[in-house]
């Protein structure tokens, strides 16, 4: 409406001005046209009767002249006729000749026209000289009523003003419509141009009015991306301090929340006493240092038998217990929920689906229902715990594929960073999942979706491409669906540097001695270690077979080498996990039976959980660390081994199917399905000269030290910060254009 007024009013004023000044002009023009017309008529009348009148004057046929005048004045506009003598005496005239009107003066030429106001109206007085055979006979006067001209010129002025008013309204209407369409087109073009969905074809088709504006805005947004280039080019020493300063400077006032199934601190009741336990989870290992650095709220399932006794009335607990830095919010699940959501859908469905370990995924509708409900329960907790409308929510892993979308619906301003800690399968494998569309669109509620490797990002993009309707920008690795854009990027996870567990370690020599003594291993026995959860993806039995192969191919190691395998039982309620443990125990037994001797075993299997400090002592005691995952997102054990070796020694034998093999290139990379090759790699590791071991270890330590967990989190937070700035700019642009439209259109 306002836009209409803004356009219509000035236009009407301009046209009104034109009408005001122009109408009298038109009036006089019309008058002149008609007067010329009447003059011509007078001339025609004169021409047609001149001969007759001359004859009648010469013959003095007065009565005939009267009759002629009477006949001619029947034309309503011809008012009167008169005859004058050469000396100007009025001799004869028609009936309507105005009383008292004398003969006009003789025309200088043969005729003259004049306008007289007679009886209040204009009258054209046309005077024609009458002559015959060079004898001047007098003059004929014809009077024409000109009042009709006045009337016509008034009407003409009125019509013109009306016409101009209509023209004005029409032009204003057209202008408003064109302006609104143009503005809409601009806004659409700008939005598309900035959304990253525009391709070269769209750019070429962009209106020249909008193109410079879009280019300018794109430049602004590109400038925002510069810090990423810098952060990746300049090797900052990433530490808790640099992470804190990223938060302070790039995300000022941002509230950080972590959502994971596994909690970082578990309180269990053991022999009537509450015991604190740190879970054997790579995810917890990675995230805990970040929360210690940043503070915030960590929402997780309270799974410990004494967990409920340790929280306040809001189910909150400040952790770490010895130096509180952040809040742990424990969420309680019923046994049914845990069976369906955790054991069922997450660990019997998603886990085998995402890992190529040839264990068949099992999908049950009842598990799915629990998975949906528990995701909703955690999403509700996020909303309840959020103190701001736009927290940075760090969603962890395959337990919460639906939560990003659920949180997005309730906290649309939130920055949701989801990290998928396990591999992502190719579309053929993913298509097995009966709820694949729901999983994908749930994850696309995230602002950023991270995987360990580019390969897994590509698999995810391919899966979305195959199963969802959306726009995928492969160049920028973004997916736009339902008005929401998700950036998909690789962020290889890592560990804290230097690791806290290292600070309490005795020197390497002491570790070597104490571990050998503790496990009954000979002082000079070469030691390989393996540290895992009893999971079928870890290839534990395969590595035992590799030990058998080593001893068979290189009997010189018999009695001189032992593999110490620590394996924490996990998810033991599931048969696949119990079978993994059985299989591993049987494989160890078989190798020990085949090669073991009095006082020496090639494999020592310890099926219990170890705290990080104990694990670090084992790493420091070892000559070789063996990581033979059949498939693994990253595998942080490999990085922890490297971190534990501040003596720059030790050999890492690492599966090519663990994400860590992309970064730890100085490890001896093996195919865990090739038992003989793995045995050879063990032999090579055990025989490697010290210089080469140290050179390799130094390079790997450099890599892990630089690409530590603060770097992992820092890169994601920097990306999130850039995304928030970008959204702020886009929102401001959208608000301005919206305001332009609504103030113009309402
Ligand atoms: C490993 C995986 C993580 C996963 C965790 C779950 O650490 O790398 O991606 O979240 O296991 O372990 P849990 O014992 O909690 O089932």
């Amino acid at each position: 409406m306002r836009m209409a007024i803004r356009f219509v009013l000035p236009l009407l004023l301009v046209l009104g001005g034109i009408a005001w000044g122009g109408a009298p002009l038109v009036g006089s023009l019309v008058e002149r046209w008609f007067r010329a017309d009447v003059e011509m008529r007078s001339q025609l009348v004169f021409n047609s009767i001149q001969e007759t009148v001359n004859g009648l004057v010469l013959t003095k046929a007065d009565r005939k002249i009267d009759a002629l005048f009477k006949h001619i004045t029947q034309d309503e506009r011809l008012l009167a006729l008169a005859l004058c003598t050469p000396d100007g005496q009025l001799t004869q005239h028609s009936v309507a000749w105005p009383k008292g009107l004398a003969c006009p003066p003789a025309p200088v030429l043969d005729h003259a026209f004049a306008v007289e106001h007679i009886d209040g109206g204009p009258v054209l007085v046309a005077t024609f000289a009458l002559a015959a055979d060079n004898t001047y006979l007098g003059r004929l006067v014809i009077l024409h009523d000109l009042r009709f001209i006045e009337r016509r010129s008034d009407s003409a002025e009125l019509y013109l003003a009306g016409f101009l008013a209509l023209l004005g309204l029409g032009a204003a209407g057209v202008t408003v419509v064109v302006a609104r369409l143009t503005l809409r087109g601009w806004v659409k073009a700008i939005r598309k141009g900035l959304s990253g969905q525009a391709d070269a074809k769209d750019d070429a088709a962009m209106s020249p009015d909008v193109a410079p504006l879009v280019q300018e805005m794109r430049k602004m947004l590109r400038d925002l991306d510069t810090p990423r280039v810098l952060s990746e080019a300049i090797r900052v020493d990433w530490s808790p301090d640099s992470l804190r300063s990223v938060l302070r400077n790039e995300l000022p006032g941002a509230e950080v929340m972590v959502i994971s199934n596994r909690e970082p601190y578990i309180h269990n009741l053991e022999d009537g006493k509450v015991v604190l336990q740190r879970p054997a989870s790579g995810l917890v290992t990675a995230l805990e240092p970040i929360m210690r650095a940043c503070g915030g709220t960590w929402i997780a399932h309270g799974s410990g038998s004494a967990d409920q006794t340790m929280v306040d009335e809001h189910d909150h607990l400040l952790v770490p217990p010895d130096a509180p830095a952040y809040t742990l919010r424990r969420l309680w699940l019923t046994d049914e929920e845990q069976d369906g959501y955790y054991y069922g859908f997450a660990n019997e469905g998603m886990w085998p689906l995402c890992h190529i370990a040839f264990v068949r995924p099992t999908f049950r509708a009842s598990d799915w229902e629990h998975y949906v409900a528990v995701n909703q329960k955690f999403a509700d907790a996020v909303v309840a715990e959020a103190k701001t409308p736009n927290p940075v929510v760090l969603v962890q892993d395959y337990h919460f594929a639906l939560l990003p979308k659920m949180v997005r619906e309730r906290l649309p301003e939130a920055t949701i960073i989801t990290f998928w800690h396990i591999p992502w399968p190719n579309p053929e494998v993913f298509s097995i999942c009966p709820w694949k569309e729901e999983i994908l669109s749930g994850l696309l509620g995230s602002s950023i979706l991270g995987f360990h490797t580019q390969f897994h990002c590509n698999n995810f993009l391919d899966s979305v491409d195959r199963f969802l309707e959306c726009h995928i920008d492969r160049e920028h690795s973004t997916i736009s669906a339902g008005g929401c854009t998700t950036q998909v990027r690789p962020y290889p996870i890592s560990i804290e540097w230097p690791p806290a567990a290292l600070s309490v370690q005795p020197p390497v020599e002491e570790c070597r001695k104490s571990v050998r003594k503790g496990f009954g291993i000979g002082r000079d026995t070469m030691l390989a270690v393996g540290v895992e959860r009893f999971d079928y993806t870890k290839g534990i039995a395969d590595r035992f077979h590799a030990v058998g192969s080593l001893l068979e191919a290189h009997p010189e190691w018999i009695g001189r080498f032992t593999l110490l395998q620590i394996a924490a039982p996990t998810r033991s309620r599931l048969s696949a996990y119990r079978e993994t443990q059985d299989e591993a125990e049987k494989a160890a037994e078989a190798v020990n039976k085949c090669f073991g001797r009095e006082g020496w075993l090639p494999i020592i299997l310890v099926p219990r959980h170890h705290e990080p400090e104990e694990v670090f002592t084992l790493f420091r005691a070892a000559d070789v660390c063996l990581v033979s995952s059949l498939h693994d997102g990253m595998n942080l054990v490999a990085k922890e081994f490297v971190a534990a070796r501040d003596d720059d020694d030790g050999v890492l034998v690492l599966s090519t199917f663990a994400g860590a093999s992309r970064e730890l290139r100085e490890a001896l990379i093996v195919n865990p399905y090739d038992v003989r090759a793995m045995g050879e790699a063990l032999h090579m590791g055990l025989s490697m000269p010290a210089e080469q071991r140290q050179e390799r270890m130094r390079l790997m330590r450099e890599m892990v030290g630089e690409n530590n967990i603060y770097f992992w989190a820092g890169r994601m937070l920097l990306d999130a910060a850039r995304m928030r700035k970008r959204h702020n700019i886009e929102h401001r642009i959208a608000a301005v254009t919206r305001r332009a439209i609504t103030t113009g259109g309402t």
Side-chain angles (χ1 to χ4, degrees):
M1 187 66 196
R2 274 198 216 161
M3 184 189 271
I5 289 171
R6 244 184 248 168
F7 277 94
V8 171
L9 263 188
L11 210 71
L12 285 182
L13 282 176
V14 170
L15 292 173
I18 292 172
W20 181 264
L25 215 85
V26 170
S28 76
L29 203 69
V30 169
E31 266 176 38
R32 257 188 278 143
W33 283 342
F34 280 109
R35 195 182 136 181
D37 192 30
V38 174
E39 286 173 2
M40 207 156 49
R41 279 174 61 119
S42 304
Q43 185 76 56
L44 279 173
V45 171
F46 173 71
N47 291 347
S48 60
I49 61 172
Q50 180 184 13
E51 291 297 317
T52 315
V53 174
N54 279 351
L56 294 175
V57 170
L58 286 172
T59 57
K60 295 198 183 4
D62 295 348
R63 290 189 51 204
K64 284 194 177 166
I65 290 173
D66 281 341
L68 179 69
F69 282 4
K70 194 175 171 190
H71 175 72
I72 291 173
T73 52
Q74 278 172 359
D75 182 326
E76 61 168 323
R77 282 184 215 139
L78 207 153
L79 198 61
L81 286 163
L83 265 176
C84 301
T85 57
D87 56 355
Q89 295 302 312
L90 191 67
T91 50
Q92 263 178 292
H93 58 78
S94 61
V95 185
W97 183 263
K99 274 198 189 105
L101 180 65
C103 248
V108 179
L109 297 169
D110 55 353
H111 68 271
F113 299 113
V115 176
E116 300 282 336
H117 277 265
I118 300 164
D119 298 335
V123 173
L124 178 77
V125 181
T127 311
F128 299 93
L130 288 170
D133 303 328
N134 289 331
T135 310
Y136 180 48
L137 300 177
R139 41 200 188 267
L140 177 72
V141 183
I142 305 174
L143 300 186
H144 263 99
D145 186 358
L146 290 184
R147 266 176 307 200
F148 83 98
I149 297 182
E150 251 179 10
R151 282 197 303 276
R152 286 201 178 166
S153 106
D154 284 352
S155 310
E157 279 177 28
L158 202 71
Y159 289 145
L160 181 75
F163 171 72
L164 286 179
L166 280 177
L167 183 73
L169 277 173
V174 170
T175 313
V176 168
V177 170
V178 170
R180 293 204 59 174
L181 288 178
T182 311
L183 201 58
R184 280 227 179 110
W186 281 12
V187 172
K188 224 169 126 193
I190 290 171
R191 284 218 182 111
K192 187 160 191 194
L194 294 181
S195 68
Q197 296 175 19
D199 52 23
K201 221 170 81 204
D202 293 322
D203 277 5
M206 201 180 290
S207 143
D209 303 326
V210 183
L213 189 65
V214 169
Q215 270 154 21
E216 194 52 34
M217 287 179 179
R218 273 191 195 151
K219 193 170 157 291
M220 272 165 64
L221 294 174
R222 256 201 316 275
D223 287 347
L224 272 178
D225 288 342
T226 314
R228 178 176 70 215
V229 179
L230 287 180
S231 76
E232 281 168 7
I234 301 170
R235 303 308 306 189
V236 189
D237 277 342
W238 282 92
S239 64
D241 279 344
S242 42
L243 196 59
R244 269 190 290 268
S245 80
V246 164
L247 265 181
R248 210 175 29 245
N249 300 331
E250 302 294 327
L251 292 159
E255 181 190 3
V256 178
M257 304 176 85
V258 167
I259 322 303
S260 75
N261 173 68
R262 185 62 66 190
E263 55 182 340
Y265 294 92
I266 307 176
H267 287 101
N268 277 322
L269 207 58
E270 280 176 20
D271 303 328
K273 274 204 274 172
V274 175
V275 181
L276 182 69
Q277 202 198 346
R278 309 271 305 278
S281 150
L283 180 154
V284 170
T285 312
L287 279 163
E288 220 268 329
I290 295 165
M291 285 305 272
R292 269 191 268 127
C294 302
T297 307
W298 185 327
I299 304 174
H301 169 215
S303 58
S305 50
D307 272 355
Q308 301 227 14
T309 64
M310 302 302 289
V311 294
D312 66 14
E313 70 271 28
H314 304 294
D315 299 325
H316 287 170
L317 173 71
L318 287 176
V319 287
D322 47 345
Y326 64 94
T327 303
L328 172 61
R329 157 79 199 272
R330 283 177 171 155
L331 209 129
W332 316 114
L333 299 180
T334 63
D335 285 350
E336 294 74 41
E337 281 173 329
Q338 226 193 319
D339 279 351
Y341 138 83
Y342 173 77
Y343 286 108
F345 193 78
N347 285 315
E348 285 194 287
M350 294 307 283
W351 180 271
L353 179 76
C354 293
H355 288 92
I356 309 170
F358 306 101
V359 170
R360 190 185 191 278
T362 305
F363 291 108
R364 301 178 197 94
S366 56
D367 290 347
W368 169 250
E369 278 157 25
H370 281 302
Y371 187 80
V372 176
V374 172
N375 269 249
Q376 191 59 62
K377 200 166 179 172
F378 273 81
D380 293 345
V382 172
V383 176
E385 294 291 334
K387 298 173 190 75
T388 54
N390 58 348
V392 174
V393 185
L394 304 171
V395 183
Q396 306 304 313
D397 233 349
Y398 59 99
H399 308 95
F400 297 115
L402 307 177
L403 182 135
K405 189 176 172 196
M406 292 170 171
V407 172
R408 168 74 58 227
E409 279 162 6
R410 310 260 300 274
L411 295 174
E413 301 296 310
T415 300
I416 304 173
I417 305 176
T418 302
F419 194 78
W420 196 261
H421 290 256
I422 61 176
W424 189 273
N426 66 38
E428 281 74 23
V429 172
F430 184 66
S431 70
I432 294 171
C433 178
W435 298 279
K436 49 187 173 294
E437 290 90 358
E438 287 89 334
I439 299 273
L440 292 173
S441 60
L443 284 168
L444 291 182
S446 316
S447 322
I448 294 175
L449 175 58
F451 295 93
H452 292 298
T453 66
Q454 184 62 51
F455 188 65
H456 298 149
C457 293
N458 295 347
N459 277 351
F460 182 79
L461 292 177
D462 291 345
S463 303
V464 171
D465 202 5
R466 182 82 66 90
F467 302 115
L468 286 190
E469 276 292 317
C470 58
H471 177 87
I472 299 178
D473 177 346
R474 292 209 181 240
E475 195 190 339
H476 298 101
S477 203
T478 57
I479 302 172
S480 306
C484 183
T485 298
T486 305
Q487 188 170 59
V488 182
R489 292 199 75 197
Y491 301 95
I493 205 167
S494 195
I495 53 169
E496 68 177 326
W497 190 275
L502 192 60
S503 61
V504 294
Q505 293 300 314
V508 165
E509 253 333 292
E510 247 178 70
C511 296
R512 290 181 72 89
K513 279 188 199 144
S514 69
V515 167
R516 281 170 175 74
K517 197 169 162 219
F519 289 94
I521 300 166
R523 273 178 65 144
D524 300 322
T525 305
M526 296 289 274
L527 180 66
V529 293
V531 178
E532 340 279 342
R533 293 175 306 108
F534 256 127
D535 195 299
Y536 51 80
T537 62
K538 301 297 179 185
I540 299 175
D542 303 80
R543 80 184 61 164
F544 294 167
H545 296 311
V547 170
S549 172
L550 166 79
L551 298 176
E552 199 178 315
H554 303 279
E556 67 270 27
W557 292 113
I558 294 175
R560 290 179 53 225
F561 160 80
T562 291
L563 168 65
L564 174 59
Q565 177 68 52
I566 302 299
T570 179
R571 308 171 194 166
S572 326
R573 246 195 259 179
L574 303 180
S575 59
Y577 283 80
R578 289 196 303 273
E579 282 159 19
T580 301
Q581 188 163 348
D582 284 355
E583 189 199 358
E585 282 169 355
K586 283 195 184 108
E589 250 175 60
V591 174
N592 284 342
K593 197 165 164 205
C594 184
F595 297 98
R597 293 181 185 169
E598 183 64 40
W600 173 77
L601 283 177
I603 296 170
I604 300 174
L605 176 58
V606 188
R608 77 164 174 85
H609 170 77
H610 284 62
E611 288 297 319
E613 292 73 19
E614 297 175 87
V615 172
F616 264 61
T617 306
L618 292 182
F619 285 148
R620 289 165 72 76
D623 298 289
V624 172
C625 176
L626 185 47
V627 175
S628 57
S629 313
L630 302 180
H631 201 194
D632 222 329
M634 173 54 71
N635 194 301
L636 290 181
V637 168
K639 290 189 174 178
E640 282 174 341
F641 172 66
V642 168
R645 300 312 298 257
D646 57 356
D647 62 332
D648 289 343
D649 209 345
V651 175
L652 175 64
V653 177
L654 177 60
S655 161
T656 187
F657 304 123
S661 67
R662 300 287 168 276
E663 294 177 280
L664 299 173
R665 291 173 179 266
E666 292 74 24
L668 298 180
I669 306 293
V670 292
N671 173 0
Y673 289 89
D674 187 343
V675 166
R676 198 187 299 173
M678 204 162 25
E680 285 310 303
L682 269 176
H683 171 65
M684 194 176 159
L686 294 169
S687 335
M688 192 182 283
E691 209 178 300
Q692 200 189 127
R693 290 199 306 260
Q694 287 157 4
E695 184 57 25
R696 285 174 184 256
M697 183 53 82
R698 262 196 293 274
L699 288 168
M700 289 194 287
R701 284 177 61 77
E702 224 172 86
M703 208 292 303
V704 180
E706 279 177 5
N707 293 357
N708 59 30
I709 190 63
Y710 305 108
F711 178 59
W712 176 77
R715 281 180 61 221
M716 279 198 290
L717 292 179
L718 278 174
D719 282 350
R722 256 187 307 279
M723 193 171 262
R724 271 159 99 107
K725 285 182 196 162
R726 199 185 167 97
H727 282 165
N728 280 346
I729 292 177
E730 282 172 358
H731 279 166
R732 284 210 298 271
I733 293 169
V736 169
T737 41
R738 230 188 348 261
R739 222 176 301 136
I741 290 173
T742 46
T743 51
T746 52

